[in-house]
Amino acid sequence: MSTSQTLSFPSPLYGGRLTVDLQAIASNWRFLNGKTRAETECAVAIKGDAYGTGQEKVAPALFEAGCRTFFAAVPTEAIQLRKILPGAVIYALDGLFPGTHEHYLAHDIRPVLGCLEELEEWTVVCKAAGRSFDAAVHVDTGIHRLGLSAAEFTSAMTDKDLLGPFRPSLIMSHLACGSAPDNPMNRRQLDQFREITAPFADVPRSLANSAGVLMGPDYHFDLVRPGISVYGGQAIETEPNPMAPVARVEARIMIVRDVPEGDTIGYGATQIARRPLRNAVVAAGYADGMLRRASSTDDRPGGFGMIGGYRAPILGRISMDMITLDVTDVPEHLLKRGAFVEMLGPHVAASDLAAYAETIDYEYLTSLGRRFERVYGPLT
């Protein structure tokens, strides 16, 4: 299958443009794969439309790079992914929705069974067929979201009457504090996962997300399932991000105007011009994934864009369809009507924007709006 990156001709009808670099995504996956032990498989989490980058294009690029196991979230994501990748192993992280097992079987989707009720329902299906259908079993080691408790897991895995012919294809858990490697929670979860799964070492095991991959081989087991790092995000907050950026958001300049000293900018009059300003209004807003929490006020700076190497701070509130930028110190020849401003990308890291918005880069990537023109090609 081809993953060639042919740039489409830019359309003047779009207010913004989202460029996704498929080769950078594939390169990030190969980097992470190279960090694992030789016997460890490197899968990928591709939920949330490949973290906002577009599953339809990204999945084939990752498969071509060598990835063979993919983790979607809900069954509809997994079924769509199956249409794209007929030869891949596909798990649905959100588990087995009640009464839907026929859809999982019809599309060869493996649910990640996260509670006793799901496990019991799946084993009934296996008993009726007299065979084991592939599924993962999720054991909770402290995050207290999905997953059987340690006691439930041990009891279920040793109850031959309960399991019948079913044998898990994977045992997994999930790190709660991987973004902070020094947090003692990581070691507690690792020790607990190793202890409770040791009697079942003949079943492949998985604990590591992106941060777990970067924390070293103790966390790798038989399969790792990175997500945010594949898409250029920062998995570990306390260290430089080694991943290549994969996406760039550019917003079109609609108007450049003067703002007299003392006037206010935007909804709520939350920011006053402390000097005569030049501002540029660009065609992107929170409806496009530019989070409103990154707005600027007199008391708190907001995010920024980049124009030809010049930083342009956000002025006032981000609105649904527009952002106002301070371009007072940007050369006039860069401020032509219709020109593009980088709002996220190689020069405006999603993690930096996330800090202004008091969130994480995951939210920025998965929130990228559908109004942008989507282009697949290199960012440089």
Side-chain angles (χ1 to χ4, degrees), residues 186-202:
N186 294 311
R187 178 56 62 171
R188 287 199 300 270
Q189 286 191 268
L190 173 62
D191 291 343
Q192 185 179 13
F193 184 69
R194 183 182 287 130
E195 178 182 355
I196 63 180
T197 62
F200 317 103
D202 58 325

Side-chain angles (χ1 to χ4, degrees), residues 74-373:
V74 295
T76 50
E77 284 184 337
I79 290 169
Q80 287 299 316
L81 182 59
R82 172 59 70 212
K83 296 175 182 177
I84 301 167
L85 297 179
V89 173
I90 300 174
Y91 285 93
L93 287 164
D94 284 8
L96 178 64
F97 291 0
T100 61
H101 69 271
E102 292 182 354
H103 297 280
Y104 292 77
L105 297 180
H107 298 280
D108 190 19
I109 304 302
R110 303 181 182 186
V112 177
L113 306 172
C115 65
L116 278 177
E117 291 84 357
E118 289 183 350
L119 180 58
E120 290 165 354
E121 184 175 340
W122 194 253
T123 57
V124 166
V125 174
C126 294
K127 286 179 180 179
R131 56 165 291 191
S132 180
F133 294 112
D134 288 328
V137 173
H138 190 159
V139 57
D140 177 43
T141 53
I143 196 171
H144 289 289
R145 299 189 312 178
L146 301 178
L148 282 70
S149 70
E152 289 173 333
F153 172 79
T154 301
S155 175
M157 290 291 290
T158 55
D159 188 343
K160 294 183 179 179
D161 290 334
L162 170 63
L163 294 185
F166 172 61
R167 292 294 178 271
S169 56
L170 184 70
I171 298 170
M172 59 174 280
S173 192
H174 192 65
L175 295 169
C177 302
S179 61
D182 293 336
N183 192 308
M185 181 74 172
N186 294 311
R187 178 56 62 171
R188 287 199 300 270
Q189 286 191 268
L190 173 62
D191 291 343
Q192 185 179 13
F193 184 69
R194 183 182 287 130
E195 178 182 355
I196 63 180
T197 62
F200 317 103
D202 58 325
V203 180
R205 293 176 290 174
S206 176
L207 177 63
N209 53 7
S210 291
V213 175
L214 298 174
M215 284 195 294
D218 283 353
Y219 291 86
H220 291 175
F221 293 92
D222 302 290
L223 181 144
V224 297
R225 45 184 207 280
I228 190 64
S229 288
V230 176
Y231 309 100
Q234 186 166 6
I236 295 180
E237 297 172 353
T238 56
E239 298 177 7
N241 185 8
M243 314 312 297
V246 307
R248 182 176 62 226
V249 170
E250 299 166 288
R252 195 183 298 277
I253 295 175
M254 296 186 288
I255 188 174
V256 179
R257 64 187 307 154
D258 295 318
V259 181
E261 182 178 0
D263 279 12
T264 60
I265 300 104
Y267 281 126
T270 59
Q271 188 155 24
I272 299 172
R274 299 300 180 185
R275 58 170 178 159
L277 299 177
R278 290 277 280 166
N279 72 4
V281 181
V282 298
Y286 58 77
D288 303 295
M290 299 291 100
L291 304 181
R292 188 173 182 266
R293 294 189 301 279
S295 298
S296 178
T297 71
D298 287 335
D299 302 318
R300 175 183 175 276
F304 61 95
M306 291 294 292
I307 309 174
Y310 292 85
R311 186 179 175 117
I314 290 174
L315 291 170
R317 284 185 183 166
I318 295 171
S319 54
M320 182 183 293
D321 314 302
M322 296 177 235
I323 298 173
T324 302
L325 301 173
D326 183 352
V327 295
T328 309
D329 300 320
V330 177
E332 192 68 26
H333 73 275
L334 297 174
L335 302 176
K336 295 179 180 179
R337 179 168 151 263
F340 282 108
V341 178
E342 181 180 319
M343 300 302 299
L344 180 151
H347 306 102
V348 188
S351 56
D352 290 339
L353 287 183
Y356 288 106
E358 299 178 343
T359 184
I360 54 177
D361 45 7
Y362 298 67
E363 185 176 12
Y364 261 103
L365 289 172
T366 58
S367 298
L368 295 178
R370 300 298 176 262
R371 296 192 299 186
F372 292 137
E373 179 183 25

